[in-house]
């Protein structure tokens, strides 16, 4: 049985890669020197003292692992030190975009697939084609290419699904089915759970404003992506109104928190994460985040694929990427570090699954026998999502603000009863027209 599970795990990880198309320190204010040709043939970095600014988002386990990796690199390369800038996801892209506009972006940048089209179009990412990616699946590598040049290197395999407080659910005498669950059954489970909960405890986050989970819902209905890869508005009106009204009812029934409580939730914040604090049971997340919740609530976390309808609604993807800022004066040193980061077994062992499944096949083979229970949750979500997974949509060029700001603002207006669902849909169409080419 163990041998079969090991084979299945390896197969799943291969599938992740195959299906992927492409889950706070003080800033250095010193001016960057003018770019002197980041696309030219790489030269050997000198031994002069260099301080590399590196920026990423994530949870505390990812922060801790990355800081250890930076320390290790400095021990091996004493002339290289780092100025790390790290935070949670909220506000990350706003801060990064402000720095880039001032030509003061970090040397090494953690990037999301949804941002690459816009950043490449503005020539804000350097050519890093010299990085050794021979041990990474070519389809995953290609996700970081623009006009034939590598401008981003993938860092891990990932999946989109549900994370939940398994221990709390089991205390209520309820369980998630191992073979997956349909939306109707999931909503019934939510009502059954609420009947056993105190008034100020809730079953799930308010997914009204969670565009990714709505995307899963529309995909599962066979209606396609709400915004197509080529930037067309494709929200199905009946499906979207159905979704919004379900959560309007859930607010009235106390299945999800009231709006003021819902918007105060902050993922993986020890004080503000409502699942960590026992206020909710279910939330949506990426597989790469599972180990972080497990570290904060050991032995209590469960993972599942998103519920299904006519078909599955989840997807597999690369977690995110490392890029080098086009305005960096230390491109060669930055590329050398990224090369080491993805290929060095010692660095891979420290990183573990804090950025998803390692992209290096050699590192993955080294780590698999050492996976912790938290690591295995990441693998488990990938396994559960892989059955019928949708093709990943990396996002359309120019739509990032619609996805991250406009949709959220409209959804929150509905949550606070400032507009009706029907008015919300018309506002979605109006906003989308500003982005649609």
């Amino acid at each position: 049985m163990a041998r079969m599970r090991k084979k299945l795990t390896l197969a799943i990880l291969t599938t992740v890669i195959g299906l992927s198309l492409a889950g706070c320190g003080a800033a250095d204010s010193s001016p960057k020197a003018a770019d002197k040709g980041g696309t030219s043939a790489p030269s050997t970095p000198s031994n002069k003292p260099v301080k590399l600014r590196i920026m990423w988002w994530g949870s505390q386990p990812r922060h801790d692992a990355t800081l250890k990796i930076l320390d290790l690199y400095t021990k091996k390369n004493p002339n290289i030190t780092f100025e790390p800038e790290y935070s949670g996801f909220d506000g990350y892209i706003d801060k990064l975009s402000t720095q880039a506009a001032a030509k003061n972006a970090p040397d090494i940048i953690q990037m999301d697939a949804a941002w690459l089209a816009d950043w490449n179009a503005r020539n804000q990412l350097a050519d890093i084609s010299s990085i050794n990616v021979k041990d990474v699946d070519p389809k995953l590598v290609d996700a970081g290419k623009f006009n034939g040049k590598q401008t981003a290197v993938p860092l891990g395999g990932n999946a989109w699904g549900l994370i939940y407080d398994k221990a709390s659910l089991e205390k209520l005498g309820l369980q998630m089915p191992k073979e997956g669950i349909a939306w109707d059954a999931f909503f019934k489970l939510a009502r059954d759970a609420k009947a056993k909960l105190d008034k100020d405890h809730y079953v799930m986050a308010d997914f009204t404003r969670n565009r990714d989970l709505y995307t899963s819902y529309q995909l599962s209905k066979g209606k396609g992506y709400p915004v197509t890869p080529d930037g067309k508005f494709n929200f199905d009106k009946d499906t979207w109104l159905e979704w919004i009204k379900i959560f309007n009812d859930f607010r009235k029934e106390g299945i999800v928190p009231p709006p003021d409580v819902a918007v105060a939730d902050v993922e993986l914040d020890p004080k503000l994460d409502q699942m960590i604090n026992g206020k909710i049971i279910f939330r949506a997340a990426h597989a790469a985040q599972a180990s972080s919740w497990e570290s904060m609530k050991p032995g209590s976390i469960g993972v599942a694929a998103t519920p299904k309808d006519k078909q599955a609604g989840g997807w597999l993807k690369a977690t995110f990427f490392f890029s080098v800022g086009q305005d960096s004066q230390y491109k060669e040193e930055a590329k050398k570090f990224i090369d080491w980061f993805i290929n060095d077994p010692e660095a891979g062992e420290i990183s573990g699954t804090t950025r998803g499944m390692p992209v290096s096949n050699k590192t993955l083979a080294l780590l698999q026998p050492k996976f912790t229970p938290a690591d295995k949750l990441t693998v488990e979500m990938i396994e559960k999502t892989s059955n019928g997974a949708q093709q990943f949509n990396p996002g359309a060029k120019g739509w990032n603000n619609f996805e991250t700001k406009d949709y959220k603002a409209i959804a929150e207006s509905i949550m606070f009863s400032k507009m009706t669902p029907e008015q919300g849909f018309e506002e979605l169409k109006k906003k989308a027209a500003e982005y649609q080419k």
Side-chain angles (χ1 to χ4, degrees):
M1 187 70 182
R3 182 176 297 176
M4 292 177 64
R5 176 148 182 104
K6 183 174 181 181
K7 289 182 178 180
L8 175 60
T9 298
L10 289 172
I12 293 301
L13 296 172
T14 301
T15 303
V16 173
I17 292 172
L19 287 177
S20 296
L21 292 180
C24 288
D28 181 353
S29 59
S30 61
K32 298 293 180 183
D35 175 41
K36 296 183 179 180
T39 60
S40 61
S43 60
T44 302
S46 70
N47 288 323
K48 68 179 181 180
V50 169
K51 178 179 284 187
L52 293 174
R53 287 171 58 212
I54 177 171
M55 187 172 178
W56 72 90
W57 76 86
S59 61
Q60 194 60 47
R62 186 182 301 164
H63 300 335
D64 293 342
T66 307
L67 292 172
K68 289 180 182 178
I69 290 170
L70 300 184
D71 287 343
L72 176 63
Y73 191 79
T74 296
K75 288 178 182 178
K76 292 176 178 288
N77 303 271
N79 65 308
I80 305 293
T81 57
F82 295 90
E83 180 157 355
E85 304 174 40
Y86 53 95
S87 66
F89 185 76
D90 289 347
Y92 177 90
I93 188 59
D94 294 329
K95 177 181 178 181
L96 180 58
S97 297
T98 299
Q99 292 177 340
K103 295 190 178 297
N104 190 37
D107 303 289
I108 301 166
I109 309 166
Q110 184 171 288
M111 294 290 294
D112 187 80
W115 309 333
L116 290 177
D118 288 339
W119 280 63
N120 280 319
R122 295 192 295 263
N123 193 34
Q124 291 174 315
L125 303 179
D127 180 5
I128 55 176
S129 300
S130 61
I131 291 175
N132 177 16
V133 290
K134 293 180 180 178
D135 198 38
V136 183
D137 188 282
K139 292 179 181 177
L140 195 58
V141 173
D142 287 347
K145 287 184 177 180
F146 176 72
N147 289 340
K149 296 177 181 178
Q150 198 79 41
T151 61
V153 170
L155 300 179
N158 209 358
W160 172 248
L162 295 176
I163 289 182
Y164 63 100
D165 188 336
K166 180 175 61 175
S168 292
L169 191 65
E170 290 175 350
K171 284 181 181 178
L172 301 177
L174 301 170
Q175 289 185 333
M176 283 285 282
K178 293 181 180 180
E179 68 277 6
I181 192 169
W183 283 107
D184 287 346
F186 180 61
F187 294 148
K188 181 181 183 302
L189 178 68
R191 288 190 165 94
D192 291 343
K194 180 58 188 178
K196 302 180 180 186
L197 287 171
D198 296 336
K199 183 178 180 181
D200 62 344
H201 288 74
Y202 312 96
V203 181
M204 64 182 75
D206 190 334
F207 294 132
T208 301
R209 62 182 186 150
N210 191 311
R211 181 194 53 80
D212 283 332
L213 198 60
Y214 170 69
T215 296
S216 295
Y217 189 71
Q218 181 167 310
L219 283 170
S220 73
K221 300 283 187 178
K223 304 290 185 177
Y225 275 94
V227 176
T228 65
D230 60 346
K232 304 300 182 186
F233 180 81
N234 189 45
F235 279 79
D236 182 76
K237 182 176 182 178
D238 290 341
T239 304
W240 191 78
L241 290 176
E242 179 180 83
W243 176 261
I244 296 299
K245 290 176 180 178
I246 286 170
F247 285 93
N248 279 353
D249 290 342
F250 280 2
R251 274 190 297 280
K252 295 173 185 176
E253 297 172 41
I255 291 172
V256 301
D260 58 328
V261 177
V263 298
D265 177 54
V266 179
E267 284 186 1
L268 296 167
D269 185 298
K271 296 181 179 179
L272 300 176
D273 187 307
Q274 293 170 0
M275 190 176 77
I276 295 301
N277 294 329
K279 290 293 185 179
I280 62 174
I281 297 174
F282 288 93
R283 66 186 315 137
H286 284 101
Q289 297 173 295
S291 61
S292 299
W293 271 294
E294 173 66 16
S295 71
M296 300 173 78
K297 209 161 187 175
S300 294
I301 303 302
V303 295
T306 58
K308 53 194 175 185
D309 194 289
K310 293 180 179 179
Q311 57 191 28
W315 53 83
L316 304 167
K317 58 173 286 190
T319 49
F320 22 69
F321 304 78
F322 267 157
S323 293
V324 174
Q326 184 66 273
D327 295 305
S328 170
Q329 70 181 93
Y330 301 125
K331 291 185 177 69
E332 297 307 324
E333 290 84 358
K335 288 188 286 185
K336 181 181 176 184
F337 169 77
I338 296 173
D339 191 312
W340 175 85
F341 184 95
I342 65 171
N343 290 300
D344 185 81
E346 195 173 357
E349 192 163 7
I350 295 172
S351 186
T353 59
T354 59
R355 284 181 167 84
M357 289 295 102
V359 291
S360 164
N361 293 323
K362 292 179 182 177
T363 300
L364 179 60
L366 173 71
L367 292 186
Q368 196 164 358
K370 305 176 184 179
F371 277 169
T372 66
D375 297 330
K376 291 175 182 177
L377 284 174
T378 297
V379 176
E380 183 181 348
M381 186 188 285
I382 291 173
E383 288 179 346
K384 289 181 174 180
T385 302
S386 66
N387 185 22
Q390 298 290 329
Q391 187 84 350
F392 173 60
N393 178 357
K397 176 183 174 182
W399 281 77
N400 189 57
N401 283 342
F402 177 86
E403 306 285 9
T404 59
K405 296 180 180 179
D406 295 328
Y407 185 91
K408 185 176 180 180
I410 292 167
E412 289 183 359
S413 292
I414 294 171
M415 290 166 61
F416 283 96
S417 300
K418 293 181 179 179
M419 65 172 63
T420 66
E422 290 76 15
Q423 290 171 331
F425 187 80
E426 292 306 312
E427 188 66 17
L428 273 182
K429 287 172 57 179
K430 179 181 175 181
K431 284 292 182 182
E434 300 175 12
Y435 299 88
Q436 191 164 253
K437 304 301 181 183

